[in-house]
């Protein structure tokens, strides 16, 4: 059985026991989190929401908040001597999926 959830502007296909990295939630490690925006639940029979499945939720436990690998942004314009180098590290929350309700 798996579900499709939406959080942080993205959609994730999750099963019980999965570990996913989602956009930063601002929740400490070890705390419980519930995802209410369940777009579909699939198993023996499929429940597809319009746009979400009513009464369905996915429970998880926050494992850690971390930062991803550095992405280098380099801007360059030829013949003018213009170049600019920037770096960015995106923060994310690692969540372990405990239960799919619905």
């Amino acid at each position: 059985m798996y579900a499709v959830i939406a959080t942080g502007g993205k959609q994730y296909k999750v099963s019980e026991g999965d570990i996913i990295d989602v956009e930063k939630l601002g929740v400490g490690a070890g705390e419980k989190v519930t995802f209410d925006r369940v777009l579909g639940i699939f198993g023996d029979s499929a429940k597809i929401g319009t746009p979400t499945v009513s009464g369905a939720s996915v429970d998880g436990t926050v494992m850690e908040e971390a930062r991803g690998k550095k992405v280098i942004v380099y801007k360059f314009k030829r013949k003018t001597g213009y170049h600019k180098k920037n770096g960015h590290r995106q923060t994310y929350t690692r969540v372990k999926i405990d239960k799919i309700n619905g």
Side-chain angles (χ1 to χ4, degrees):
M1 181 158 133
Y2 68 91
V4 178
I5 62 170
T7 179
K10 298 180 180 77
Q11 296 177 4
Y12 300 92
K13 177 184 170 184
V14 297
S15 299
E16 290 183 10
D18 283 355
I19 296 173
I20 59 171
D21 294 336
V22 300
E23 294 292 322
K24 183 178 177 183
L25 297 175
V27 180
E31 293 186 32
K32 302 287 184 185
V33 65
T34 301
F35 300 103
D36 295 331
R37 295 192 57 212
V38 179
L39 304 178
I41 297 176
F42 304 92
D44 297 334
S45 62
K47 293 181 190 175
I48 299 173
T50 55
T52 60
V53 179
S54 62
S57 65
V58 174
D59 298 330
T61 304
V62 174
M63 297 177 70
E64 66 175 338
E65 276 195 356
R67 298 176 79 191
K69 293 180 72 172
K70 182 175 266 195
V71 177
I72 303 298
V73 180
Y74 191 76
K75 297 179 181 181
F76 174 80
K77 294 193 178 181
R78 64 191 188 115
K79 298 182 181 176
T80 61
Y82 172 81
H83 58 92
K84 182 177 274 195
K85 183 178 179 181
N86 256 337
H88 176 74
R89 291 181 68 189
Q90 186 70 29
T91 56
Y92 64 88
T93 302
R94 183 162 285 161
V95 178
K96 181 176 184 197
I97 303 300
D98 296 329
K99 188 173 181 185
I100 299 173
N101 304 314

